Amino acid sequence: MAVTGEGTSQELEAAVEEEEDAGHVQADPEPRLRDTPEDISFEAAANTIAFHPNQDILAAGDVDGDVYVYSYSCLEGGNRQLWSSGHHLKSCREVSFSQDGNQLFTVSKDKSIHILNVEEGRLVTRFFKAHSSALNSLLVIDEHLFATGDDGGMLKVWDLRKGTAIMEMRQHEEYISSMAIDENKKLLLTTSGDGTMGVFNIKRRRFELLSEPQSGDLTSVALMKRGKKVACGSGEGTIYLFSWDGFGATSDRFAVKAESIDCMVPVTENVLCTGSIDGVIRAVNILPNRVIGSVGQHLGEPIEQLAKSHTGQLLASCGHDQKVKFWDISLLCSVVVDDYRKRKKSGQLKSLSRKALGGREDFFADMREEADALKEEQEEESNSDDSD
């Protein structure tokens, strides 16, 4: 019987080899195409993320001071780590690509600024002890200039041609949380833990003004409405709006019904996405002020930062769950919000993607309705003049 079994085994092997030679054995299936790239997991929580300006590449910095650069793809298994860097001694607080995408700027709690070569991850320039306090924020202005803000409220503007800071000002009493600049690269806006927004003229290298203080920390800033409006997020879950010609006082405020607004990123001239300590990413329309719905979530883990891809089709988020997640925001560009809105009994957020909790196939079928009902007095507080 043993001889018969051995002969049968040999015959089967020969048959398989014959089928392979004939090309009859099926090849491995093609990788599945997903709506978004798969999550990227890290060994430590990521503080900051940034998309490359013209390639499918993402950078992230974590609480251990490590910096990672990945290529991403919507093909299953398509994400690939290109390199990592452990140059920082403490937490990496912010990463940002240069305008041409050839360099990556990073700032850290260790008070240093690093500039890395994107292709190889090689350290090109290092500003050791660039600030006297831990660095917290970073903004690349153009091919020569970039700005940094620290935990003590100090703002510095650096010129790579001179290799030093050309402007140093401390107008804030608390940490600088975020920065933005106008299209003309003239006015730099800062938000701070002291509840104020700062305005700095970097062309004339002078301080312009501080806004009136708000009741909570200002955590983020974004230019909206083609630069006519400035939106600031706060730790109390309120978005404060300023008119471009009136930075001293808010023109409007809008409670988002979130525990906080820790970060935000503009998606269109009217719509921005916010990240909160409750782990929910909300899409918000500005003027009229509406919470449109939920883009996604980190399941109860605080969200540290949001970033929009160079194509405008993807949003990335990083949170305390040690993951970077991707969300499809392509259809947010077609959102239309009417001045009139229907009050909904349910306070549950509309799901704006299949990956958001409660997502469904027709999640954009009724986009013109608001998903989050706001209090009547908040609507009445809205400035009737803010209709542009």
Side-chain angles (χ1 to χ4, degrees):
M1 294 296 291
V3 174
T4 304
E6 185 178 339
T8 304
S9 175
Q10 291 174 347
E11 290 172 1
L12 286 172
E13 289 176 4
V16 169
E17 289 176 1
E18 185 177 351
E19 286 189 6
E20 288 178 344
D21 292 341
H24 294 154
V25 175
Q26 282 190 340
D28 292 336
E30 290 292 324
R32 185 170 66 91
L33 186 65
R34 300 163 45 91
D35 292 336
T36 60
E38 294 172 292
D39 296 350
I40 301 175
S41 297
F42 296 90
E43 294 182 1
N47 286 322
T48 174
I49 49 176
F51 279 104
H52 192 280
N54 49 50
Q55 296 181 41
D56 292 344
I57 292 175
L58 177 132
D62 68 18
V63 295
D64 289 340
D66 296 323
V67 175
Y68 298 87
V69 170
Y70 278 80
S71 63
Y72 60 88
S73 169
C74 288
L75 287 176
E76 202 165 59
N79 295 339
R80 183 167 60 91
Q81 181 179 317
L82 301 180
W83 53 264
S84 64
S85 167
H87 290 289
H88 284 302
L89 303 176
K90 295 181 180 179
S91 176
C92 179
R93 297 275 188 81
E94 191 91 45
V95 295
S96 182
F97 286 94
S98 60
Q99 291 186 331
D100 60 12
N102 292 331
Q103 295 181 322
L104 181 69
F105 293 70
T106 69
V107 297
S108 169
K109 186 179 178 181
D110 66 12
K111 307 176 185 178
S112 70
I113 303 167
H114 289 178
I115 304 177
L116 304 167
N117 175 279
V118 170
E119 186 176 354
E120 305 166 356
R122 176 174 47 85
L123 181 63
V124 177
T125 305
R126 181 187 185 191
F127 297 92
F128 183 68
K129 290 187 177 179
H131 283 236
S132 58
S133 298
L135 281 156
N136 190 63
S137 57
L138 163 71
L139 178 70
V140 175
I141 298 171
D142 58 26
E143 66 270 28
H144 303 302
L145 304 178
F146 68 97
T148 52
D150 68 26
D151 283 353
M154 172 67 77
L155 168 72
K156 291 189 179 186
V157 177
W158 303 78
D159 191 331
L160 290 172
R161 292 166 295 189
K162 298 183 177 181
T164 186
I166 59 170
M167 178 175 162
E168 300 182 28
M169 293 186 178
R170 187 182 182 276
Q171 299 294 332
H172 291 293
E173 296 179 3
E174 296 287 344
Y175 67 96
I176 295 177
S177 56
S178 182
M179 295 183 284
I181 195 160
D182 70 324
E183 190 177 31
N184 296 323
K185 313 291 187 184
K186 177 183 177 182
L187 292 184
L188 178 69
L189 308 179
T190 57
T191 52
S192 171
D194 62 14
T196 65
M197 181 181 72
V199 183
F200 300 84
N201 188 321
I202 62 170
K203 286 196 173 179
R204 296 188 178 181
R205 301 183 190 178
R206 72 183 187 193
F207 165 69
E208 295 286 346
L209 61 90
L210 283 182
S211 73
E212 61 181 11
Q214 309 306 321
S215 56
D217 296 13
L218 292 187
T219 60
S220 45
V221 59
L223 272 61
M224 307 295 293
K225 300 288 186 178
R226 294 175 175 82
K228 294 180 180 178
K229 295 291 178 181
V230 177
C232 295
S234 75
E236 295 187 338
T238 299
I239 293 178
Y240 296 96
L241 297 178
F242 295 85
S243 295
W244 188 256
D245 56 354
F247 291 128
T250 59
S251 63
D252 201 2
R253 64 187 62 195
F254 171 44
V256 179
K257 279 194 172 179
E259 295 180 50
S260 63
I261 297 173
D262 298 320
C263 53
M264 61 188 188
V265 63
V267 176
T268 68
E269 294 296 335
N270 304 315
V271 177
L272 53 81
C273 286
T274 67
S276 172
I277 196 171
D278 63 8
V280 179
I281 303 168
R282 293 169 173 84
V284 179
N285 191 88
I286 299 299
L287 298 174
N289 300 328
R290 305 283 186 269
V291 175
I292 303 167
S294 169
V295 171
Q297 65 289 310
H298 278 253
L299 293 176
E301 295 288 344
I303 295 172
E304 287 289 340
Q305 200 168 51
L306 301 171
K308 186 179 70 170
S309 69
H310 66 97
T311 63
Q313 308 294 302
L314 293 173
L315 183 79
S317 59
C318 60
H320 288 195
D321 56 4
Q322 300 175 264
K323 291 181 179 179
V324 169
K325 294 174 174 284
F326 297 87
W327 314 94
D328 182 4
I329 57 170
S330 56
L331 294 181
L332 282 179
C333 296
S334 61
V335 170
V336 178
V337 175
D338 291 333
D339 288 330
Y340 171 77
R341 61 179 172 84
K342 298 178 181 178
R343 183 171 294 281
K344 305 188 81 173
K345 293 182 180 179
S346 171
Q348 185 174 357
L349 288 173
K350 177 188 283 291
S351 300
L352 304 183
S353 74
R354 293 181 179 87
K355 290 168 65 178
L357 293 179
R360 58 188 187 279
E361 288 296 319
D362 59 342
F363 53 85
F364 273 96
D366 195 21
M367 185 57 91
R368 293 169 70 90
E369 277 191 11
E370 182 199 11
D372 194 6
L374 298 176
K375 294 179 181 179
E376 194 67 41
E377 57 265 30
Q378 290 169 347
E379 189 178 59
E380 292 173 356
E381 285 179 2
S382 197
N383 190 331
S384 60
D385 294 332
D386 285 336
S387 57
D388 54 344

